[in-house]
Amino acid sequence: MHRGTDAPLFPEIYRQKLQQCAADGVLSDEDVKALTRLRVMLCIPQHTIDAAHSDICGSLFEKVVKDAIASGVDGYDADVKKAVRKAAHGLRLTRESAMSIAGKAARRIFLNFVKQARMAENRTEGAKALRKLIAFNSLVVTELVADIKGESSDTPLEEPSKVEDKKIEEEDEWGDEEWESLETLKKIRPSEEIAAKMGKPGQTEINLKDDLSERERADLYKTYLLYCLTGEVTRIPFGAQITTKKDDSEYLLLNQLGGILGLTVKEIVEVHRSLAEQAFRQQAEVILADGQLTKARIEQLNELQKQVGLPPEYAQKIRELKEASIDFNSMISEKLRENLHKKTVDEIFSSGTGEFEEEEVYEKIPIDLNINAEKAKGVVHELARSRLSNSLIQAVALLRQRNQQGVVSTLNDLLACDKAVPSEPLTWEVPEELADLYTIYMKNNPAPEKLCRLQYLLGISDSTATALGETKDSVFSVGAEEEKFVF
């Protein structure tokens, strides 16, 4: 046929004929033959034909799919199934095209459930929204996929050989992981007996892998995993709450959620591992809250490691510290390690010995706790400055209480702080009290260098120090008498 000026109208003629044939939702064999003759007669390119079918038949099928999805979990009945099957096969769409249309519509609903989960006021409500997503996938989308493929809803959605290959591949992936001991990970993999009772698993061909980032999908999975672990929390009047523990069947739903989210085995394992690590760290921080790292507590940590299912090498002992081995870097957060360092230094400045070993404080302890040495040194200096002035105030208070041993210990703390941050001579509004402090310390027979440094810090001259040495036995004579009249 000669293609004259009417040629641009030919595709439209074909589209009109296609719309007429597909009006009842089915393209019969006669319709297909008639359309083929028209295509040949009008010399319309195949890509134009494909575009017309995708547009017109796709739009008709999309309406059927949207109606099926709108029927919800309770409305996907025999009539809906019949309509989907009729449209999927009667409109002569390729399986790829039909699945693309169904996937787009289904993912839109998936994302609505995701939005509900994110906007939920608490974790329990968020998990409930995700449970609705799982139910929708099982009762609607899985049926929809089976009907598109012309399969029974009681049979696998893939060919037996492909299912078996996929099963072997997944088992290899799980088996390659070193985290098989994680208790929560075990629970999402049902035994053959439980799997048989569950029936056919929900479809995962339509998923959210391309709609959400890996981080977003992992966070949603984690939300439901936490729900499985902690149960449902119900708030009651007066600020109280009741927690209803869930049974392990929730983990099977979690497994299905992983498929809907398009998470790989590796990504799922990572969520379980990070949560187990978080639980371990939190409980480890409680165990080590006071900084006492005893062998008994290390045994507690080892038992905790077994309970959460972390691999033994994860919590292995790699550093000797206070007669106990502990991997601080992996088991305890940096914040807690820094707090332990601060507590250790604070104990040195309040030990009452007056000792301060720079190598121990500035090098060994930061290495043992795996913290930044320069930052740690700054903390030491800050503590020393603060405690130095406070030590003088405390020493005077103990002097007034006639607690001589307390005075000596506190002045030793002052000297330890001074070793860390050398100080200028201190001032006090009652010089006589400084003299009394010096005398009490001198009576305790301290090392000459300590007494000399204290004399400097208290601003006591050599002549005064000599005179005080001669009268040290009557240290409280004046102060005590004056104290009696203070009401």
Side-chain angles (χ1 to χ4, degrees):
M1 180 177 177
H2 177 66
R3 301 187 64 184
T5 56
D6 292 332
L9 299 176
F10 294 164
E12 184 57 34
I13 293 172
Y14 183 88
R15 287 176 62 89
Q16 291 175 2
K17 179 64 175 177
L18 176 58
Q19 286 177 326
Q20 180 184 351
C21 293
D24 61 353
V26 175
L27 288 178
S28 65
D29 291 342
E30 288 302 318
D31 291 332
V32 172
K33 290 178 182 178
L35 288 168
T36 301
R37 286 195 299 269
L38 183 61
R39 178 181 70 80
V40 172
M41 182 175 64
L42 298 178
C43 300
I44 302 174
Q46 186 60 46
H47 67 84
T48 303
I49 297 298
D50 292 340
H53 278 257
S54 178
D55 182 18
I56 295 171
C57 296
S59 296
L60 292 171
F61 182 67
E62 182 180 14
K63 183 179 184 306
V64 173
V65 168
K66 287 182 176 179
D67 289 343
I69 287 176
S71 66
V73 295
D74 297 320
Y76 201 101
D77 55 20
D79 291 336
V80 175
K81 291 175 67 67
K82 183 178 178 180
V84 172
R85 287 176 177 253
K86 176 184 175 183
H89 305 288
L91 291 170
R92 308 293 176 115
L93 288 169
T94 64
R95 178 174 292 186
E96 181 182 355
S97 297
M99 284 296 294
S100 175
I101 292 168
K104 183 178 179 181
R107 293 198 310 276
R108 188 180 296 116
I109 305 300
F110 284 173
L111 290 172
N112 283 339
F113 285 118
V114 168
K115 184 177 180 181
Q116 291 176 28
R118 286 174 169 169
M119 295 178 65
E121 58 183 13
N122 55 54
R123 184 189 302 151
T124 297
E125 294 304 315
K128 287 181 178 179
L130 293 176
R131 187 193 281 171
K132 291 178 182 178
L133 165 60
I134 298 166
F136 174 74
N137 182 64
S138 298
L139 301 175
V140 178
V141 182
T142 299
E143 296 294 326
L144 178 64
V145 171
D147 291 332
I148 289 173
K149 296 183 175 182
E151 299 163 340
S152 168
S153 59
D154 296 326
T155 59
L157 298 179
E158 297 180 73
E159 297 175 14
S161 60
K162 291 184 178 179
V163 172
E164 189 62 30
D165 290 343
K166 185 176 181 181
K167 181 179 179 182
I168 293 173
E169 181 182 342
E170 288 185 349
E171 286 179 351
D172 288 342
E173 287 188 64
W174 289 107
D176 287 342
E177 297 294 340
E178 61 176 334
W179 304 96
E180 288 182 313
S181 58
L182 291 174
E183 290 299 319
T184 57
L185 205 54
K186 292 177 183 177
K187 293 178 180 179
I188 70 169
R189 302 172 63 190
S191 64
E192 291 185 5
E193 181 181 355
I194 295 177
K197 291 180 180 179
M198 289 176 60
K200 185 192 65 175
Q203 72 80 38
T204 57
E205 190 172 344
I206 296 174
N207 58 61
L208 294 173
K209 183 176 183 179
D210 297 326
D211 298 272
L212 301 170
S213 69
E214 180 183 335
R215 174 65 181 275
E216 291 173 316
R217 291 180 288 123
D219 284 346
L220 290 167
Y221 184 91
K222 183 178 180 180
T223 295
Y224 205 85
L225 174 54
L226 286 168
Y227 177 70
C228 293
L229 286 166
T230 60
E232 184 173 328
V233 177
T234 304
R235 299 193 179 279
I236 58 178
F238 306 109
Q241 61 184 35
I242 299 174
T243 300
T244 306
K245 195 75 172 76
K246 295 296 179 181
D247 59 37
D248 289 351
S249 64
E250 290 291 343
Y251 286 94
L252 304 182
L253 296 180
L254 177 65
N255 189 6
Q256 295 181 37
L257 178 63
I260 298 169
L261 294 172
L263 292 170
T264 64
V265 169
K266 183 178 180 181
E267 291 165 346
I268 288 173
V269 169
E270 176 58 25
V271 176
H272 285 259
R273 183 206 63 77
S274 64
L275 201 60
E277 176 185 338
Q278 180 182 339
F280 182 84
R281 287 191 177 194
Q282 288 176 344
Q283 294 182 58
E285 290 185 5
V286 172
I287 293 172
L288 300 172
D290 62 0
Q292 301 301 313
L293 307 177
T294 64
K295 288 183 178 180
R297 288 181 177 177
I298 294 303
E299 290 176 3
Q300 279 185 278
L301 292 174
N302 290 337
E303 183 61 30
L304 175 61
Q305 169 255 312
K306 294 176 183 177
Q307 288 176 3
V308 299
L310 290 172
E313 58 270 21
Y314 174 78
Q316 67 183 343
K317 304 170 185 178
I318 64 170
R319 190 188 308 278
E320 281 293 317
L321 181 62
K322 294 186 178 180
E323 299 182 350
S325 300
I326 183 167
D327 180 356
F328 280 97
N329 193 35
S330 62
M331 294 200 299
I332 305 176
S333 67
E334 183 178 7
K335 182 178 179 180
L336 177 59
R337 284 182 273 128
E338 290 176 346
N339 286 340
L340 288 173
H341 168 258
K342 186 174 182 180
K343 181 176 177 61
T344 301
V345 173
D346 199 52
E347 288 174 352
I348 292 173
F349 287 149
S350 60
S351 64
T353 64
E355 300 302 322
F356 180 84
E357 299 292 338
E358 290 191 1
E359 183 179 356
E360 170 78 11
V361 176
Y362 292 144
E363 298 178 20
K364 188 177 184 303
I365 294 178
I367 289 175
D368 285 339
L369 292 173
N370 195 22
I371 58 176
N372 182 278
E374 284 301 313
K375 185 176 180 181
K377 190 172 185 178
V379 170
V380 172
H381 289 174
E382 182 180 349
L383 280 172
R385 292 190 188 96
S386 173
R387 287 196 66 92
L388 194 143
S389 57
N390 288 338
S391 293
L392 177 59
I393 295 171
Q394 186 178 358
V396 172
L398 291 168
L399 171 70
R400 293 173 180 177
Q401 296 170 19
R402 304 173 66 86
N403 184 344
Q404 295 193 43
Q405 189 55 50
V407 168
V408 173
S409 293
T410 303
L411 290 175
N412 273 331
D413 292 340
L414 184 148
L415 290 170
C417 294
D418 175 68
K419 283 185 178 180
V421 182
S423 171
E424 295 294 324
L426 303 171
T427 58
W428 189 251
E429 58 186 8
V430 184
E432 292 81 7
E433 289 182 319
L434 295 181
D436 285 347
L437 291 176
Y438 178 81
T439 304
I440 290 174
Y441 194 77
M442 180 173 52
K443 285 175 59 179
N444 202 54
N445 298 318
E449 63 271 16
K450 286 186 178 181
L451 184 61
C452 181
R453 185 61 184 174
L454 182 65
Q455 177 187 334
Y456 170 79
L457 291 173
L458 297 180
I460 294 173
S461 65
D462 291 342
S463 58
T464 301
T466 300
L468 290 173
E470 296 172 354
T471 61
K472 61 182 179 181
D473 291 333
S474 58
V475 61
F476 282 116
S477 58
V478 176
E481 289 298 317
E482 291 181 351
E483 217 171 54
K484 291 178 182 178
F485 298 97
V486 177
F487 293 96

